[in-house]
Amino acid sequence: MKINKNVALSDSGFVFNPSTGDSFSTNPIGLEIIKLLKEGKSMDYVKASLLKTYTIEEATLERDCYDFANMLMKFKLTEADEKAEN
Amino acid sequence: MKKRKINIAVTGLNAIDSPGPGISVIRALRDSEAFDVRIIGLSYETLEPGIYMHNLVDKTYQIPLPSAGASVLLERLQYIHRKEKIDLIIPNFDAELPGFIKLKKELDKKGMKTFLPTMVQFDARHKVNLSEFGKKHRIKVPFSKMIFSANEIGSLKEDFSYPLVVKGKFYDASIAYSPDQVHSYFNKISAKWGLPVIIQEYVFGSEVNVTALGDGTGVTVGAVPMRKQYITDKGKAWAGISIDDKKLMSMTRKLIKSTKWSGGLELEVIKTSEDEYYLLEINPRFPAWVYLSVGCGQNHPEALVKLAMGEKVKTFTKYEIGKMFIRYSYDMIVDLSEFEKISTLGEL
């Protein structure tokens, strides 16, 4: 999963999609996920990174990341998955 | 750089809930770096707010309604010209454009320039001809049909499913969910704008619009796409944001190139969730939100003035993405004497 190149992110968690004009607010963890994806990291890398940083059960993290990824796709913030760095 | 003085007459001073573009156009002209403008407002009604906005409009004259005909309009414009020495007229209403287009040569001879679409361009993009226009220029247009009588409403179910859109030939559009609602909108719209009334397929999606300027040779001088963020019950954008939409920009350039569009225009488009674009309307003048173009770095009204005055204009190559406009309402306090002047003398 890759975040569209032109999606703008601010440190406050404000996300702007210039193609559609939509804007969103996300919490610090959401921001961290989007930033990593925007850097070209894979979702597996993101999950491993979150698992290392936060105290969370793997199954819960898996489910939450799945939901979040679906939301990103639904809001058209992603592009077709290409070669992502692990 | 010293600004050049220029007298510009502008219509569309009705900055109301369904606003005319005049005030936006004037604000853009006031921001011009090339011109020092004196604005002559041309109004139809005595309560058009722009008449009383003296910080924007220097002097206003009432002009006859389009139904009075071109010769009555010419006579009135000549009177105003004698007093104000108008260099350029920017009409901003669809309904008045045919009159100004007809008078173009006459006005030009008298020193009043215009920069308008031709009658052929004006007619080709008319709501009643939009299906044909779409076919000719290979642009998707929602299926539509003209009706001339309320008796035709019953048979609409053969061609349409509900909801559908009921539109006036110049303005107004309402979404109808049943034949009863079509009846009601048909009566309301035909009483106001005459016949035919246009019935259009309802396309689900987000409303995206473009304000643009064509130089008459096929070149797009400037274009700014916007997504409506807040829509009033009259379907007007109360807030919008400039977007980066390459398909929409390409559609705009293609249209201006193939029609050799001359003047300002607005494209009203629906973008579906499958990223398909349906052209709803082409308005043959700047939209009421044209001031957003200035906010995005493209002063379209100023560029139109230059084109009208026969000057070369550089095409805009970029615009700022993510600029928003948010409209607001504002109560002006006006002396009765001002209202009296415009009501009795026809000028203020």
Side-chain angles (χ1 to χ4, degrees):
Chain A
M1 167 180 280
K2 259 189 163 181
I3 298 291
N4 278 332
K5 279 189 206 108
N6 58 355
V7 165
L9 276 179
S10 80
D11 288 340
S12 64
F14 187 78
V15 183
F16 174 59
N17 183 353
S19 306
T20 62
D22 287 325
S23 55
F24 312 91
S25 289
T26 181
N27 63 17
I29 296 177
L31 181 64
E32 196 178 329
I33 297 172
I34 298 174
K35 269 185 179 168
L36 287 169
L37 291 173
K38 207 160 186 267
E39 284 168 16
K41 304 286 192 272
S42 70
M43 202 43 149
D44 286 341
Y45 178 95
V46 171
K47 282 184 238 172
S49 164
L50 293 174
L51 209 53
K52 220 186 280 175
T53 318
Y54 302 99
T55 312
I56 185 169
E57 276 181 35
E58 197 170 346
T60 310
L61 176 79
E62 186 71 37
R63 195 184 58 229
D64 289 352
C65 282
Y66 178 79
D67 286 348
F68 193 68
N70 272 337
M71 203 187 288
L72 295 177
M73 281 193 280
K74 190 181 153 202
F75 292 146
K76 299 195 169 184
L77 294 169
T78 59
E79 56 189 44
D81 203 1
E82 287 165 24
K83 282 177 194 170
E85 287 173 29
N86 277 307
Chain B
M1 189 175 71
K2 201 180 171 196
K3 290 186 182 184
R4 283 168 284 161
K5 286 193 185 298
I6 187 164
N7 298 330
I8 305 178
V10 180
T11 69
L13 306 182
N14 56 327
I16 54 170
D17 59 342
S18 177
I23 295 301
S24 260
V25 169
I26 293 167
R27 288 184 68 203
L29 296 175
R30 292 263 180 227
D31 280 5
S32 168
E33 288 174 4
F35 301 105
D36 176 11
V37 293
R38 174 171 160 80
I39 299 292
I40 316 302
L42 304 176
S43 66
Y44 292 101
E45 309 268 352
T46 51
L47 283 176
E48 289 178 26
I51 299 170
Y52 308 95
M53 298 166 87
H54 304 307
N55 56 330
L56 292 174
V57 182
D58 296 292
K59 173 99 191 204
T60 300
Y61 293 85
Q62 295 269 57
I63 56 170
L65 286 165
S67 54
S71 60
V72 183
L73 174 65
L74 180 63
E75 205 175 297
R76 181 64 174 158
L77 291 174
Q78 279 178 292
Y79 167 82
I80 301 167
H81 187 46
R82 279 196 294 275
K83 292 188 144 194
E84 304 291 346
K85 294 199 170 41
I86 298 170
D87 296 303
L88 166 68
I89 306 177
I90 307 181
N92 287 301
F93 286 124
D94 299 19
E96 70 186 358
L97 280 178
F100 280 96
I101 294 170
K102 273 181 206 157
L103 294 174
K104 185 180 167 56
K105 279 187 185 160
E106 197 80 27
L107 292 170
D108 200 27
K109 267 190 225 162
K110 297 181 191 311
M112 292 179 270
K113 305 266 187 208
T114 53
F115 197 74
L116 301 169
T118 64
M119 207 55 185
V120 174
Q121 291 169 340
F122 180 86
D123 283 337
R125 58 85 248 169
H126 203 287
K127 283 180 205 182
V128 296
N129 301 323
L130 196 65
S131 292
E132 215 169 295
F133 185 91
K135 267 183 219 158
K136 189 176 169 190
H137 300 284
R138 292 181 183 179
I139 288 170
K140 282 182 186 165
V141 170
F143 176 69
S144 66
K145 192 177 175 180
M146 288 178 275
I147 59 169
F148 293 84
S149 150
N151 295 333
E152 296 177 67
I153 294 170
S155 60
L156 287 177
K157 61 178 183 291
E158 290 163 21
D159 297 314
F160 295 90
S161 57
Y162 284 89
L164 49 79
V165 188
V166 187
K167 291 180 142 184
K169 65 177 173 179
F170 288 119
Y171 299 103
D172 273 354
S174 295
I175 300 165
Y177 292 86
S178 67
D180 281 350
Q181 283 188 332
V182 178
H183 251 282
S184 154
Y185 295 138
F186 176 88
N187 290 335
K188 220 181 272 178
I189 289 171
S190 60
K192 200 166 176 188
W193 301 112
L195 294 169
V197 165
I198 296 121
I199 305 295
Q200 193 176 63
E201 171 194 3
Y202 181 78
V203 181
F204 290 89
S206 61
E207 289 190 44
V208 285
N209 291 9
V210 185
T211 179
L213 176 64
D215 75 347
T217 69
V219 174
T220 300
V221 175
V224 173
M226 173 277 287
R227 203 198 88 191
K228 292 183 182 182
Q229 290 181 297
Y230 186 114
I231 302 174
T232 68
D233 56 357
K234 291 200 172 168
K236 304 296 166 189
W238 199 257
I241 187 164
S242 61
I243 54 172
D244 178 17
D245 193 322
K246 293 185 176 59
K247 275 190 189 170
L248 195 53
M249 290 294 276
S250 147
M251 182 200 248
T252 307
R253 283 194 210 99
K254 189 177 144 194
L255 262 179
I256 289 179
K257 190 176 178 188
S258 56
T259 58
K260 291 191 166 53
W261 189 267
S262 164
L265 84 159
E266 179 193 26
L267 300 184
E268 293 188 16
V269 177
I270 289 279
K271 182 183 176 184
T272 68
S273 51
E274 287 79 35
D275 281 351
E276 287 181 314
Y277 293 75
Y278 284 84
L279 180 65
L280 296 185
E281 270 181 35
I282 301 176
N283 292 318
R285 36 90 194 149
F286 289 131
W289 56 273
V290 69
Y291 191 67
L292 180 67
S293 75
V294 182
C296 293
Q298 297 192 1
N299 193 331
H300 292 176
E302 181 194 50
L304 180 140
V305 175
K306 288 182 181 170
L307 287 170
M309 303 316 280
E311 295 172 23
K312 280 195 177 169
V313 178
K314 273 190 190 167
T315 55
F316 294 103
T317 51
K318 55 182 184 179
Y319 62 91
E320 220 173 304
I321 295 156
K323 275 276 174 192
M324 296 168 66
F325 77 87
I326 303 169
R327 204 163 271 168
Y328 69 104
S329 54
Y330 182 90
D331 299 343
M332 282 186 291
I333 303 300
V334 175
D335 275 341
L336 184 62
S337 61
E338 295 207 331
F339 180 68
E340 181 192 326
K341 264 189 207 161
I342 190 77
S343 304
T344 55
L345 304 174
E347 45 191 272
L348 178 68

